[in-house]
C-alpha cells in the first residue's frame, strides 16, 4: 500500500485546477467566481479578450505534475501526474484552436 505524502497533494492541486478550468451548472467557471470574489477580473477586457482563468488553472496543474513526478511512490501521485499532464496539454494546445481563451 502506498503512503500518503507530498505526491498525494498532486490530486488536490488537480481538483483546484479543474475548478478553474471548467464551467458547471450556470455556465460560469468556478475560477471566474473565485477571481471576482478576490477582486480580480477573469478577463483582460471586460467579458472578452484574454481569459486569465486558464492561466490560473495552469498554476495548479504544473505543480501537480511536478509533485506527481518527483514523489511518484506516494498515494495518488500517478493519477495526479497523468491527469495534470492531460490538462496541461489540452490547455496549451487545444484552447487556442477552439477560441475559448
Amino acid at each position: 500500500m502506498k503512503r500518503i505524502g507530498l505526491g498525494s497533494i498532486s490530486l488536490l492541486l488537480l481538483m483546484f485546477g479543474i475548478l478553474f478550468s471548467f464551467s458547471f451548472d450556470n455556465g460560469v467557471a468556478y475560477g471566474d467566481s473565485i477571481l471576482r470574489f478576490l477582486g480580480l477580473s477573469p478577463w483582460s477586457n471586460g467579458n472578452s479578450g484574454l481569459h486569465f482563468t486558464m492561466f490560473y488553472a495552469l498554476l495548479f496543474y504544473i505543480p501537480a505534475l511536478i509533485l506527481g513526478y518527483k514523489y511518484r511512490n506516494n498515494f495518488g501521485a500517478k493519477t495526479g501526474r497523468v491527469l495534470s499532464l492531460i490538462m496541461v496539454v489540452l490547455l496549451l494546445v487545444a484552447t487556442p484552436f477552439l477560441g475559448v481563451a
Side-chain angles (χ1 to χ4, degrees):
M1 186 165 156
K2 293 187 175 189
R3 65 183 184 98
I4 294 177
L6 288 176
S8 305
I9 296 173
S10 65
L11 281 175
L12 181 65
L13 292 171
L14 172 72
M15 289 182 214
F16 279 118
I18 288 172
L19 282 175
F20 272 82
S21 298
F22 292 102
S23 298
F24 295 98
D25 293 336
N26 60 359
V28 176
Y30 288 138
D32 289 0
S33 300
I34 293 168
L35 290 175
R36 285 190 184 104
F37 177 77
L38 295 173
L40 302 170
S41 174
W43 294 90
S44 64
N45 189 14
N47 276 341
S48 62
L50 187 62
H51 197 193
F52 293 137
T53 309
M54 295 302 158
F55 295 107
Y56 288 110
L58 285 173
L59 291 176
F60 291 107
Y61 292 138
I62 293 172
L65 187 61
I66 293 169
L67 285 172
Y69 273 110
K70 188 169 182 175
Y71 301 100
R72 62 182 60 205
N73 293 325
N74 292 155
F75 175 78
K78 182 177 180 181
T79 303
R81 177 180 75 234
V82 170
L83 293 177
S84 294
L85 179 61
I86 291 169
M87 293 307 296
V88 167
V89 169
L90 284 175
L91 283 176
L92 295 178
V93 174
T95 301
F97 293 112
L98 296 173
V100 181

